[in-house]
Amino acid sequence: MPEIKLENVSKLIDQKPIVDNVSIEIPDKSLFCILGPPRSGKSMVMRLIAGLEIPDKGRILFDGEDVTSLGPVERKVAVAFQDFALYPHLTAFDNIASPLKLMKLPKDEIRRRVMDVARYLKIDHRLTHYPSELSGGEKQRVAIARALVKDAEVILLDEPLVRLDYKIREDMRAELYKIQREVGKNVILITSDPLDAMSLGERIAIMNEGKVLQLGTMEDLYETPANILVGRYFGVVEMNIFDGEVVKTNDMISIKTKIFEASFKNTGNLPEGKVKIGLRPEHMSIVELSGKKEINFKGKIVLTEVVGSDTIVHIDAGLKELLRVSVPAIYRRQIGEGIEVGFNAESLYIFSSEDEKLLARGGDLIG
């Protein structure tokens, strides 16, 4: 299985950069995620890796060999598209077998391969059914089976979970992780859902407007987001962002906002002036449930949004935007009711108000 490298790759459509000078290294036999919002360029990167598109600039290497001008067959790549791309007039068996028939393999070999992968994915009892007779999860398994049956060295999954309902998505996340571990191939997942990337990706590249904003492990991206966009996007619930100011006095440094002030020893690394403060909803808690924290402030409830067994509490604290607090329980209160929220200083993210890059974490200032 190859190590994959993209070196300064760009792709233009109508003179507009869809992929802009992207460099990525994908380790051998890994589950790698490319995450980004719609029109971020992630699907084009997938097509470039697959050999479905040729870059206008840059190189694509598989195990050090330049494959930039080679097609999918020569690269030994298989793709499962987000709409499943199943032939409606063919049974599940024939859909899975279609790439093998194009390879003109013997009928016995085709049947053996299809049955092996169908049993592995637990769809062998559905092989005589047509796509219209299959559930969303079964269609997804057929699409993945068609990719696996080719014995490709690289499997690209384009938004594989986007068309599935919530419960099936959970099951398929576990299934995809299991498949990659047992098959031992390069699996590259293209997704717009941070939860998919957080659940599955050993390494994750976050893209926006054709560029890679940050590449690293889930822990890297979550704990030290490169900028506000990554901080907001990479999380189960969007990070709260609001205005703040850094003030230095003697040997102390203060982070001042409209709703709280936090003081630290002056390490000399953080410049004075206006900043943006980030707080993840899951790093905040309701005082009546969890007690006071190092920093506490008050507000009024605007909405309690129950999501499964959790609740997202939307709070008006007098800032430009509402704050969100994630509560790991079902928590209901009246709209307009007063509420006190707490968090620990180490949970703060401090971003530049100019270029929005991360300047420091609260934990860095504590030492």
Side-chain angles (χ1 to χ4, degrees), residues 323-353:
L323 296 179
R324 293 167 297 277
V325 179
S326 183
V327 178
I330 294 177
Y331 178 79
R332 295 189 186 277
R333 288 294 183 272
Q334 294 296 317
I335 293 174
E337 189 175 338
I339 191 170
E340 188 171 10
V341 175
F343 65 92
N344 291 328
E346 65 180 8
S347 301
L348 287 169
Y349 293 78
I350 304 150
F351 298 96
S352 166
S353 61

Side-chain angles (χ1 to χ4, degrees), residues 121-155:
L121 291 172
K122 299 180 177 60
I123 51 171
D124 49 307
H125 64 297
R126 304 290 282 168
L127 291 178
T128 59
H129 291 73
Y130 291 90
S132 61
E133 301 171 317
L134 302 175
S135 68
E138 289 168 340
K139 290 177 185 177
Q140 186 58 265
R141 284 180 168 84
V142 171
I144 292 170
R146 186 170 57 188
L148 290 175
V149 80
K150 292 173 63 177
D151 201 25
E153 294 186 351
V154 180
I155 299 171

Side-chain angles (χ1 to χ4, degrees), residues 142-338:
V142 171
I144 292 170
R146 186 170 57 188
L148 290 175
V149 80
K150 292 173 63 177
D151 201 25
E153 294 186 351
V154 180
I155 299 171
L156 293 133
L157 305 175
D158 184 20
E159 298 274 13
L161 309 178
V162 72
R163 294 178 181 269
L164 306 181
D165 66 36
Y166 178 75
K167 180 56 182 167
I168 295 174
R169 283 179 76 119
E170 284 188 338
D171 294 341
M172 282 305 299
R173 285 191 190 106
E175 198 72 28
L176 288 174
Y177 188 83
K178 174 174 172 283
I179 288 169
Q180 196 279 326
R181 282 289 175 270
E182 294 182 354
V183 175
K185 297 179 183 291
N186 286 68
V187 175
I188 302 172
L189 174 71
I190 314 300
T191 182
S192 57
D193 187 340
L195 190 54
D196 292 345
M198 295 175 80
S199 302
L200 294 169
E202 296 168 4
R203 289 180 66 77
I204 302 161
I206 296 185
M207 292 191 65
N208 191 50
E209 296 182 346
K211 295 180 180 293
V212 173
L213 302 181
Q214 191 170 356
L215 192 157
T217 64
M218 188 273 282
E219 291 79 8
D220 293 335
L221 274 57
Y222 184 84
E223 296 293 343
T224 54
N227 55 35
I228 287 177
L229 194 151
V230 174
R232 277 189 184 274
Y233 193 58
F234 195 72
V236 179
V237 182
E238 185 176 305
M239 179 186 283
N240 298 295
I241 301 290
F242 48 94
D243 293 331
E245 185 178 6
V246 175
V247 178
K248 294 182 178 180
T249 54
N250 299 324
D251 62 342
M252 297 299 291
I253 184 168
S254 295
I255 309 294
K256 295 185 177 182
T257 75
K258 192 173 180 180
I259 55 174
F260 67 80
E261 180 175 340
S263 296
F264 306 88
K265 286 187 177 180
N266 188 356
T267 62
N269 296 326
L270 196 61
E272 280 194 286
K274 295 185 183 301
V275 292
K276 293 289 185 179
I277 302 299
L279 266 175
R280 292 196 181 278
E282 59 271 28
H283 291 165
M284 305 160 72
S285 60
I286 307 300
V287 168
E288 75 163 313
L289 298 178
S290 305
K292 286 186 177 288
K293 302 296 183 184
E294 294 173 358
I295 302 169
N296 304 277
F297 64 88
K298 294 180 180 181
K300 290 185 178 181
I301 293 175
V302 174
L303 172 68
T304 55
E305 179 184 359
V306 177
V307 182
S309 58
D310 297 340
T311 306
I312 302 169
V313 184
H314 300 254
I315 297 168
D316 183 356
L319 301 174
K320 293 178 182 177
E321 295 185 13
L322 299 179
L323 296 179
R324 293 167 297 277
V325 179
S326 183
V327 178
I330 294 177
Y331 178 79
R332 295 189 186 277
R333 288 294 183 272
Q334 294 296 317
I335 293 174
E337 189 175 338

